[in-house]
Amino acid sequence: KNQVEQSPQSLIILEGKNCTLQCNYTVSPFSNLRWYKQDTGRGPVSLTIMTFSENTKSNGRYTATLDADTKQSSLHITASQLSDSASYICVVSEGSKQKLVFGTGTRLLVSP
Amino acid sequence: DSGVTQTPKHLITATGQRVTLRCSPRSGDLSVYWYQQSLDQGLQFLIQYYNGEERAKGNILERFSAQQFPDLHSELNLSSLELGDSALYFCASSVEGTGDNYGYTFGSGTRLTVV
């Protein structure tokens, strides 16, 4: 069964600190992996997208990594800001049908 | 503003009733996708339309239906509502039949509460 699992479920960090969120997937065949940021009550907004051949992608203070062999991805947030408080969702696109499989997200709270 | 417009933002209705959610895709996008997000759950794909035609179907209940009109806006109809249908309903759009090349743009969602 195609699944995307994220950890931790929730996380609290102090403003200015770094953190890393994890994503493991069993989706096959693999097409690409996206990280989205979802503010409370809003729709997801794309942060990064990586294909099979890419193992790192940055977007400002956000850096995503992908290990297609172990089917793992991480999202590293550097020098966190209060505005980073949100849910971060890992989404894997299943290759044959181009169907998106969503993780349940990691809820990040950045505390002053 | 993402460019994808969903109305209404909030909806409260009673069990057994029928509601219609509306989505206007980003200008130029031909595909519309509907997703359901229940409390603490990941987004579940319901259905996709591409240029007026149904393209893909996910975990959509028979009580639910959707359509995409010639002006490319889409409506999701939910009938015989149950308490478990309470959720956030998101619409997304993409330029092509898949967002793999140019991405997906999500609306802000409609929060449906069934009482």
Side-chain angles (χ1 to χ4, degrees), chain A residues 68-109:
Chain A
D69 291 331
T70 62
K71 298 188 177 182
Q72 295 180 325
S73 177
S74 65
L75 180 69
H76 186 74
I77 304 175
T78 305
S80 61
Q81 300 176 357
L82 298 179
S83 60
D84 292 331
S85 296
S87 287
Y88 291 84
I89 304 173
C90 176
V91 184
V92 180
S93 180
E94 190 249 326
S96 60
K97 299 178 183 176
Q98 292 159 341
K99 173 188 169 186
L100 298 183
V101 183
F102 287 77
T104 55
T106 292
R107 197 166 295 176
L108 174 67
L109 176 63

Side-chain angles (χ1 to χ4, degrees), chain B residues 1-23:
Chain B
D1 181 9
S2 67
V4 176
T5 304
Q6 290 190 247
T7 57
K9 291 194 184 305
H10 302 277
L11 198 50
I12 301 176
T13 189
T15 54
Q17 295 298 304
R18 171 190 169 98
V19 297
T20 297
L21 313 183
R22 183 188 167 103
C23 170

Side-chain angles (χ1 to χ4, degrees), chain B residues 30 86 113:
Chain B
L30 298 178
S86 296
T113 302

Side-chain angles (χ1 to χ4, degrees), chain B:
Chain B
D1 181 9
S2 67
V4 176
T5 304
Q6 290 190 247
T7 57
K9 291 194 184 305
H10 302 277
L11 198 50
I12 301 176
T13 189
T15 54
Q17 295 298 304
R18 171 190 169 98
V19 297
T20 297
L21 313 183
R22 183 188 167 103
C23 170
S24 293
R26 199 178 57 156
S27 178
D29 286 359
L30 298 178
S31 270
V32 170
Y33 310 78
W34 287 98
Y35 292 89
Q36 179 191 57
Q37 187 178 34
S38 301
L39 190 63
D40 292 334
Q41 299 288 316
L43 277 78
Q44 299 292 323
F45 171 64
L46 296 178
I47 197 165
Q48 177 200 356
Y49 280 82
Y50 175 72
N51 204 20
E53 300 287 329
E54 182 183 304
R55 171 65 71 97
K57 218 171 203 179
N59 302 321
I60 187 167
L61 299 172
E62 285 192 9
R63 301 183 285 109
F64 296 1
S65 65
Q67 55 183 324
Q68 186 179 28
F69 294 87
D71 66 353
L72 301 178
H73 89 271
S74 177
E75 293 181 354
L76 179 67
N77 300 298
L78 315 176
S79 61
S80 302
L81 284 167
E82 302 175 359
L83 296 178
D85 297 327
S86 296
L88 268 168
Y89 290 84
F90 285 102
C91 168
S93 70
S94 66
V95 172
E96 303 170 329
T98 169
D100 270 9
N101 292 326
Y102 298 104
Y104 302 84
T105 304
F106 283 83
S108 295
T110 292
R111 181 175 293 279
L112 173 66
T113 302
V114 182
V115 298

Side-chain angles (χ1 to χ4, degrees), chain A residues 13-101:
Chain A
I13 61 173
L14 290 175
E15 186 179 10
K17 298 296 186 182
N18 303 335
C19 67
T20 300
L21 315 181
Q22 301 291 341
C23 172
N24 297 336
Y25 62 92
T26 60
V27 177
S28 181
F30 173 88
S31 178
N32 56 63
L33 184 147
R34 293 177 167 86
W35 282 94
Y36 281 88
K37 178 186 178 187
Q38 185 178 17
D39 292 311
T40 302
R42 306 298 298 271
V45 175
S46 181
L47 294 175
T48 64
I49 177 172
M50 288 182 291
T51 59
F52 187 87
S53 59
E54 297 174 296
N55 55 25
T56 188
K57 185 73 72 80
S58 290
N59 177 1
R61 295 180 296 103
Y62 300 102
T63 299
T65 65
L66 172 65
D67 186 335
D69 291 331
T70 62
K71 298 188 177 182
Q72 295 180 325
S73 177
S74 65
L75 180 69
H76 186 74
I77 304 175
T78 305
S80 61
Q81 300 176 357
L82 298 179
S83 60
D84 292 331
S85 296
S87 287
Y88 291 84
I89 304 173
C90 176
V91 184
V92 180
S93 180
E94 190 249 326
S96 60
K97 299 178 183 176
Q98 292 159 341
K99 173 188 169 186
L100 298 183
V101 183

